[in-house]
Amino acid sequence: MNPTRSHDAPLTVGGLDPHLFDVEQRYAPTPTAAGGVTATVTATYRGAVPAQGRLRISVGLADADDPYWLIPGLFYGENRPADNHRRYPRFARAVDEPADPGRFVSPAWSFRADRAATPAVFVWGASGGLALAVDERSSLGLSGIGFAHEAGTARLHVDFPYVEEPVSYVGSQEPAAALAETHLWQPGERHVVQVCLYRLPADRHAYAPVLRERHARSATEPLRPWVAVGEAADLAAYGLHRWHYRPDPAVLLETAAFDREFNDNVKGLGDRGAMHVAWVSGIPYAHALLAHGRRTGDDDHVAAGAAVIDHVCANLAPSGTFWGQWTAARGWGQSWTPVRGGLHARTLAEATLFLHRAVRAERAGGARRDGWLRAVRSNLDVAVRNQRADGNLGSLLHAEDGRMLSWAGAAGLTWVAALAEAGDLDPTYLESARRGGDYYARFVDEEFLHGAPEDVDLAPTSEDGYAAILAYVALWRATGEPRWLETARRAADWMLTFRYSYDVHFDGHTLLGRYGFRSRGADQASPSNQHLHAYGLICLPEMVELSAATGDPHYLDRTRENLACFRQFIARADGDFNAYKGMASERYYQTACFQAKGMLLTLSHAWSVGVLLLGCEAALNLPEVTW
């Protein structure tokens, strides 16, 4: 990709009164494989009295009647399917749908930069695309990024300092008044800002080299994990067993409160009496606890992990699959869905995948788990039986009779991983995985994977990326076919759009700021759930395998960062960051969403502790890799 000259896509500098400000632009090629130019803009205030001012730098793309947008971790295409029941910002062309900011619908959006995993905004039209990228902050404060569409022209812009338009999304289903930062210019004051501009080919995947370049620019400070991998594993196993495990019946409670006095006095608001079979609790983390117990000789951890899996496997739904969730109040029941009797495909498939891995691990150690294996086969048989002729494995099935209730989205993609890894049990499983892989590859090619988590309906999420990596690495491992490796590579690049490539600035008076939390390596959960989370560790071994198979060290480097990031804020002792030993939060607030920036959710989640344990155990089984 050749460097862009300034006259190829001229930048427009606005927002400042030209009678009061002198503005100078200089352009220089960006000396990287991604190409592009760096624009240096100098603004000097010539007014006689202090004045407010915001600098906006923009660029237009004329052949964009039907644009595709990308703001990493924040905005993907239209971003929210029209029929998605959960509200958050959505793009709609004016010719298709009138703007309705009250419902988060608009042809133009502006955001604060710390909402983005990489502060950059991309657009593609009929013949190619453009991108603008900035640093999170400048001397004018927190930067902003955004876009607008009108009459077939797409415009990208960056703001110094940021302003959000038309409204702000802060996690609520109702919009907040637009957030903004202002700067009061003093007479004679001068500021210099930089913007990188890229011209892109028509392939939407052309974001990948740009994001690699931006990561390389930002990844200059050393990683600072608090503990080594082995110690992190020990802490996570302790926390999972001490705070989340309950023996009768054997479950891993989904949440445990940091504040034990509050939890004990206000029942039900901290320790959640519930366990999903996978996703936010259940089999994957019981498997991790069991594996840790086997490796370290901890009989209590072995017994607890096995007991949780026994409990799940002994209570299949009438459909032949697992149930979605156990609760203390109602026992076994459906998934988190408003559809009565619905069981979510991704949750069932993830439970099956990790159950089979547990069976194999136990067999390698000399333990037979016949009941577990029967549960694996029962779930896989239902998946194969329901699969459509085109390969779609479905998204939601009925707990009683197993009929498919929804085929929407890509929630069924995790079945591909479970089926591909079970080809040794029955060759029809691998054939089903191939057909599923072919069907769901369109979501990867279109750069819009969505539907994996139960709680955000059909939103695009980082968890969709993890599911795709699990699926396509498994297919490549099972078949050796290069097409699956290429799809896995593209899926990994898409997943990495959610991974923070820089360390967010936190004020020193906040908890994350005071502890020096480094966000590089953490993932934005989704455009709907704008907080950092650790779930990417679930596919740590697949990312290492992908790096080796492609000969591309970038995937290993980003995985190292992921594991290093979440070896911060695993409580090392009672009282560490107001938690108890072995606790880990689900949410790190890096922007203005749900909570104030710099805060930490004071709940330990079984999956947050569990994916750290899974990742650490996987890393310890890869002695050839330096972590």
Side-chain angles (χ1 to χ4, degrees), residues 19-285:
H19 298 99
L20 297 176
F21 288 84
D22 293 336
V23 177
E24 175 190 354
Q25 302 179 54
R26 291 183 292 108
Y27 294 87
T30 302
T32 67
V37 295
T38 298
T40 301
V41 178
T42 303
T44 306
Y45 179 50
R46 298 303 185 191
V49 296
Q52 300 281 353
R54 176 175 290 105
L55 179 64
R56 172 166 287 187
I57 301 172
S58 63
V59 64
L61 184 67
D63 64 343
D65 184 61
D66 188 18
Y68 180 87
W69 313 100
L70 170 65
I71 300 177
L74 183 63
F75 219 99
Y76 295 80
E78 66 177 339
N79 206 42
R80 171 167 60 90
D83 57 350
N84 198 76
H85 67 76
R86 185 163 177 175
R87 292 181 182 176
Y88 59 93
R90 176 172 176 263
F91 167 75
R93 300 185 305 174
V95 297
D96 296 327
E97 186 176 348
D100 187 354
R103 295 177 53 251
F104 295 109
V105 178
S106 176
W109 286 97
S110 298
F111 302 101
R112 48 191 287 164
D114 56 9
R115 295 192 190 277
T118 298
V121 54
F122 298 74
V123 66
W124 282 266
S127 60
L130 293 172
L132 293 177
V134 293
D135 291 334
E136 180 205 5
R137 302 184 66 83
S138 76
S139 59
L140 288 165
L142 181 60
S143 304
I145 51 178
F147 60 81
H149 183 262
E150 184 176 6
T153 296
R155 293 201 69 84
L156 307 179
H157 63 259
V158 294
D159 293 319
F160 303 95
Y162 86 90
V163 59
E164 297 205 307
E165 299 170 322
V167 294
S168 284
Y169 173 72
V170 294
S172 170
Q173 295 296 279
E174 300 299 325
L179 300 173
E181 195 170 291
T182 59
H183 181 79
L184 184 66
W185 292 72
Q186 302 296 325
E189 189 173 350
R190 173 177 296 178
H191 289 273
V192 179
V193 298
Q194 287 192 326
V195 180
C196 289
L197 165 67
Y198 306 86
R199 181 173 291 280
L200 307 171
D203 182 2
R204 294 176 184 173
H205 202 74
Y207 63 77
V210 175
L211 296 188
R212 288 188 181 214
E213 178 206 296
R214 301 304 296 179
H215 171 259
R217 286 167 53 100
S218 302
T220 56
E221 294 293 322
L223 300 170
R224 294 180 180 174
W226 296 0
V227 293
V229 175
E231 185 179 354
D234 291 343
L235 288 169
Y238 173 87
L240 194 61
H241 184 262
R242 172 65 180 83
W243 304 112
H244 294 275
Y245 176 64
R246 300 291 186 273
D248 187 19
V251 296
L252 294 175
L253 295 186
E254 292 170 359
T255 63
F258 283 13
D259 189 329
R260 305 310 300 166
E261 183 175 10
F262 174 82
N263 179 76
D264 292 343
N265 288 322
V266 187
K267 298 295 185 182
L269 294 184
D271 295 359
R272 185 191 301 162
M275 177 183 73
H276 272 68
V277 296
W279 184 41
V280 294
S281 189
I283 287 177
Y285 319 118

Side-chain angles (χ1 to χ4, degrees), residues 20 42 44 100 115 120 173 176 188 232 264 269 323 325 346 380 446-447 488 497 507 516 567 576 600 621:
L20 297 176
T42 303
T44 306
D100 187 354
R115 295 192 190 277
Q173 295 296 279
D264 292 343
L269 294 184
W323 287 102
Q325 185 191 40
R346 180 276 187 96
L380 294 177
E446 293 170 1
E447 307 288 342
T497 66
D507 287 340
R567 285 184 281 138
D576 199 1
L600 184 76
N621 282 323

Side-chain angles (χ1 to χ4, degrees), residues 8-22:
D8 287 331
L11 292 174
T12 299
V13 179
L16 300 177
D17 187 339
H19 298 99
L20 297 176
F21 288 84
D22 293 336

Side-chain angles (χ1 to χ4, degrees), residues 290-596:
L290 174 57
H292 180 271
R294 293 292 191 197
R295 181 177 61 81
T296 61
D298 190 316
D299 292 341
D300 290 339
H301 291 177
V302 170
V308 171
I309 297 176
D310 282 340
H311 182 210
V312 176
C313 292
N315 291 278
L316 298 185
S319 63
T321 68
F322 298 121
W323 287 102
Q325 185 191 40
W326 171 91
T327 66
R330 296 180 299 276
W332 290 103
Q334 68 179 70
S335 301
W336 284 350
T337 171
V339 179
R340 187 174 179 84
L343 299 176
H344 199 268
R346 180 276 187 96
T347 305
L348 301 181
E350 190 174 270
T352 305
L353 172 67
F354 282 91
L355 177 60
H356 194 193
R357 291 182 179 183
V359 169
R360 291 198 301 268
E362 287 288 273
R363 183 189 303 130
R368 290 175 59 93
R369 300 291 186 178
D370 294 339
W372 298 3
L373 188 57
R374 284 193 297 272
V376 169
R377 287 182 177 274
S378 182
N379 277 271
L380 294 177
D381 288 344
V382 173
V384 172
R385 185 167 63 247
N386 279 329
Q387 189 172 31
R388 279 190 336 204
D390 64 359
N392 189 333
L393 285 152
S395 299
L396 194 71
L397 63 84
H398 199 282
E400 294 296 328
D401 55 24
R403 72 184 187 278
M404 199 56 61
L405 301 173
S406 174
W407 300 94
L413 184 51
T414 305
W415 280 125
V416 173
L419 289 161
E421 290 196 9
D424 58 327
L425 300 181
D426 187 332
T428 63
Y429 293 155
L430 181 55
E431 178 54 34
S432 178
R434 277 196 173 101
R435 291 193 290 116
D438 282 330
Y439 176 81
Y440 292 109
R442 70 194 67 186
F443 291 86
V444 180
D445 293 339
E446 293 170 1
E447 307 288 342
F448 194 78
L449 291 128
H450 62 128
E454 295 183 12
D455 60 342
V456 293
D457 198 15
L458 293 175
T461 73
S462 57
E463 294 175 49
D464 290 280
Y466 314 145
I469 292 164
L470 289 168
Y472 289 107
V473 170
L475 274 171
W476 174 77
R477 189 190 308 121
T479 67
E481 297 173 11
R483 62 179 177 136
W484 303 128
L485 185 63
E486 173 60 16
T487 306
R489 182 190 64 81
R490 290 180 68 100
D493 288 339
W494 189 83
M495 181 275 286
L496 289 173
T497 66
F498 290 87
R499 185 154 295 170
Y500 269 61
S501 60
Y502 64 101
D503 290 320
V504 172
H505 170 77
F506 295 103
D507 287 340
H509 63 268
T510 65
L511 183 69
L512 295 184
R514 178 66 73 180
Y515 275 81
F517 176 69
R518 293 183 176 269
S519 59
R520 180 161 49 98
D523 294 342
Q524 176 100 291
S526 69
S528 179
N529 283 346
Q530 293 172 28
H531 62 80
L532 303 181
H533 75 173
Y535 214 109
L537 293 170
I538 203 162
C539 58
L540 180 147
E542 284 77 14
M543 288 293 287
V544 174
E545 190 173 356
L546 178 65
S547 181
T550 59
D552 189 340
H554 182 71
Y555 300 118
L556 178 57
D557 291 342
R558 301 302 300 275
T559 304
R560 283 194 183 102
E561 290 179 350
N562 189 215
L563 185 58
C565 180
F566 294 103
R567 285 184 281 138
Q568 304 171 101
F569 281 96
I570 175 69
R572 295 158 291 190
D574 292 349
D576 199 1
F577 59 90
N578 218 34
Y580 282 81
K581 180 180 176 181
M583 288 184 169
S585 178
E586 177 202 18
R587 297 184 175 194
Y588 305 77
Y589 298 109
Q590 87 289 5
T591 190
C593 196
F594 299 108
Q595 300 272 34

